[in-house]
Amino acid sequence: MKFVKDILRGIAIGIANIIPGVSGGTMMVSMGIYDEVICAVTGVFKHFKESVRTLLPYAIGMGIGIVGLSFVIGYLFAEYPLQTAMLFIGLIFGGLPLIFPKVAGKKPRIAEIVVFVAFFGLIIWMQFWGEGNSQVLAVEPKTMVTLFFVGALAAATMVIPGVSGSMMLMSLGYYTPIIDHINAFVIALVTLDFGTVWYCMGILMPFGIGVLLGIFLIAKLVEHLLKQHERMTYFAILGLVTASPIAVLAGMNLGTVSIAAIIAGVAMFGVGMTIAWILGK
């Protein structure tokens, strides 16, 4: 049962990572698995079997969420932007009760309040980043090296709660090309178009290797901060997470919002809260 639940958690993380403004790290915090995942990633060389056992269901779920549901989520955000955004905001707020005990127990110090405000402000500031020009990708050494470093940078932001890796890719101009190549890879695989499969792999593999390296390095940093400055680190995480709903709504093209859409959005917020509560148990 836990294996299936962890796959579902992984699906939520995977979907979050492909949506600009939504953070996979925030989803991990909301579901109460952030520390567990960070420790499993950083301990993969020392405790290989235990780390693989922990990470495998999350990895399976993330693969399903990123590859299998990227079409669906794209459609939902295009056709029902407010309702879909409110679902993810519900997921975020539903996880806040898991964070509060980490900073409760004594009055916040000035430094902790400053850290909270600074990281809250960081997320707001990032909303002023414009979308970069979409890059044209080709399977050549220069592009592959660039994709490796872009993947590492995006992955680092994916792990940090409240910071959207997709938003980073969008700012750099690589979001649309990467998503397009993922979708093209899936279609080519289904239709047995192996020429396109190999071409897409030439683009996605260096990016994917960069993602893995970025996740490992930033996880090492977060693990160190949690061990040495746990309370301060959680104030930073709380600032990132509480600002995330603003980032989600700022990244959406809501258009004209009807009363029915608002009512449905409130309902989806409740659904998101409920899902976060169930997955966080």
Side-chain angles (χ1 to χ4, degrees), residues 17 24 73 75 81 101 144 216 235 254 270 280:
N17 274 327
I73 294 300
Y75 170 79
M144 296 173 78
F216 180 77
F235 267 99
L254 298 178

Side-chain angles (χ1 to χ4, degrees), residues 24-38:
T26 299
M27 290 296 105
M28 287 191 279
V29 172
S30 297
M31 293 180 288
I33 60 172
Y34 188 73
D35 293 6
E36 177 188 14
V37 171
I38 292 296

Side-chain angles (χ1 to χ4, degrees), residues 42-67:
T42 58
V44 71
F45 295 113
K46 291 183 179 179
H47 311 286
F48 182 76
K49 289 184 178 179
E50 292 83 354
S51 291
V52 169
R53 192 179 301 118
T54 298
L55 295 174
L56 181 60
Y58 299 131
I60 293 172
M62 287 178 66
I64 295 172
I66 293 172
V67 177

Side-chain angles (χ1 to χ4, degrees), residues 52-197:
V52 169
R53 192 179 301 118
T54 298
L55 295 174
L56 181 60
Y58 299 131
I60 293 172
M62 287 178 66
I64 295 172
I66 293 172
V67 177
L69 299 180
S70 60
F71 299 97
V72 177
I73 294 300
Y75 170 79
L76 290 176
F77 265 102
E79 299 298 325
Y80 308 101
L82 178 63
Q83 297 92 320
T84 310
M86 291 301 289
L87 172 66
F88 279 92
I89 291 173
L91 284 168
I92 293 167
F93 274 112
L96 286 177
L98 297 171
I99 307 177
F100 290 142
K102 303 289 187 179
V103 298
K106 58 182 179 180
K107 186 177 180 180
R109 293 178 292 148
I110 297 297
E112 291 168 343
I113 295 173
V114 169
V115 166
F116 171 85
V117 173
F119 279 85
F120 185 96
L122 173 66
I123 299 302
I124 306 304
W125 174 75
M126 287 182 68
Q127 303 317 304
F128 293 97
W129 285 18
E131 180 177 356
N133 295 324
S134 293
Q135 305 293 329
V136 177
L137 305 181
V139 182
E140 57 186 20
K142 180 181 177 181
T143 300
M144 296 173 78
V145 171
T146 302
L147 285 169
F148 170 81
F149 285 106
V150 168
L153 178 62
T157 59
M158 288 173 189
V159 174
I160 301 172
V163 183
S164 170
S166 296
M167 185 190 303
M168 179 65 69
L169 286 176
M170 186 172 284
S171 299
L172 296 172
Y174 284 90
Y175 178 77
T176 300
I178 292 296
I179 291 296
D180 287 346
H181 280 81
I182 291 174
N183 292 340
F185 175 80
V186 174
I187 294 171
L189 203 60
V190 171
T191 59
L192 302 180
D193 181 0
F194 293 108
T196 302
V197 167

